[in-house]
Amino acid sequence: MELYLNTTSPYARVVRICAIEKQLDDVKLIWVDPWADDNALLTANPNGKIPVLVTDRGETLSESLLIASYLDGLSSTNSLLGAPNYTDVLALSGLSQGLTDAAFMTVINRKHFGKESDSTVLGVRRQSAIIRCLQTLEDRVNTDVMQSDINLGQIVTGVALSYIDFRLPELQWGESQPLLADWLRRFLERASVKETAFT
């Protein structure tokens, strides 16, 4: 299998952590710059986004949660979809994917349009979404899905929070969500998370 990715994508990091947790050692990492219209990436994924996984059969999968679901099905080791808490895992994954999207689009809009993009209608909506998602996660810290063995929801959550710390440190969200900050500190100690740290 081949995984197209870069070192700063939260979406790619989710997939890498999943592959490590599933003990899938046959994933070849192909490092690309999605902003450079890399020919190999565009051939694999015409929309030019990462991550992209090319399976051993030559099938091309995009979108991090779909790739993660595929990887989870390749091995019974360390199921990440969390049966019997399957619905809770999906709900947490979706919530934290929304947090990732809001943070990522904030970063991209600032890169191309300046920090004043935060003041646009869409920018204000993104900032509000980040605040709401963080508070909702704080309220859910002590739920089974957050405290159980590693699952996809936890992975997406941990990556989203560490991406905010990496790209939007001025938010200092840990001051308002101390339980969530403590949860993240523990999550960051996992070997798979350390191996895939943002650079």
Side-chain angles (χ1 to χ4, degrees):
M1 290 183 290
E2 297 177 338
L3 177 64
Y4 291 79
L5 73 169
N6 72 5
T7 59
T8 59
S9 166
Y11 306 103
R13 189 181 185 192
V14 165
V15 173
R16 282 191 71 200
I17 293 173
C18 289
I20 293 168
E21 292 289 345
K22 294 296 293 184
Q23 301 176 14
L24 299 171
D25 300 324
D26 61 337
V27 179
K28 179 182 178 183
L29 304 181
I30 301 177
W31 303 97
V32 296
D33 178 359
W35 296 97
D37 291 335
D38 180 280
N39 284 332
L41 173 62
L42 294 178
T43 299
N45 189 10
N47 69 26
K49 292 168 58 180
I50 55 172
V52 180
L53 181 75
V54 180
T55 72
D56 292 334
R57 294 170 52 185
E59 301 151 326
T60 302
L61 304 177
S62 60
E63 302 302 330
S64 57
L65 296 185
L66 298 179
I67 297 171
S69 178
Y70 173 79
L71 294 177
D72 192 60
L74 293 181
S75 166
S76 59
T77 302
N78 302 332
S79 173
L80 299 176
L81 294 181
N85 297 321
Y86 178 71
T87 304
D88 292 338
V89 171
L90 293 183
L92 179 60
S93 300
L95 172 65
S96 294
Q97 184 82 344
L99 175 60
T100 302
D101 292 344
F104 182 79
M105 290 310 299
T106 296
V107 171
I108 294 303
N109 274 270
R110 286 181 181 181
K111 176 180 178 180
H112 293 284
F113 305 112
K115 194 166 183 182
E116 57 270 20
S117 63
D118 289 356
S119 301
T120 65
V121 171
L122 293 179
V124 170
R125 286 181 62 83
R126 284 190 294 269
Q127 299 305 309
S128 297
I130 289 171
I131 292 169
R132 289 193 303 268
C133 287
L134 288 169
Q135 187 55 54
T136 300
L137 288 169
E138 172 79 359
D139 295 340
R140 296 184 184 179
V141 165
N142 291 319
T143 59
D144 289 344
V145 70
M146 288 285 282
Q147 298 297 330
S148 65
D149 292 338
I150 188 73
N151 60 56
L152 180 59
Q154 291 176 19
I155 293 170
V156 180
T157 301
V159 169
L161 297 172
S162 56
Y163 181 76
I164 291 173
D165 287 344
F166 176 58
R167 289 298 199 195
L168 303 170
E170 71 277 8
L171 295 184
Q172 297 184 337
W173 60 270
E175 296 180 3
S176 301
Q177 284 83 34
L179 298 177
L180 188 60
D182 185 59
W183 178 90
L184 179 63
R185 280 189 288 273
R186 295 193 304 273
F187 177 82
L188 293 175
E189 291 302 310
R190 292 190 72 86
S192 61
V193 178
K194 289 182 176 180
E195 183 176 337
T196 60
F198 293 121
T199 59

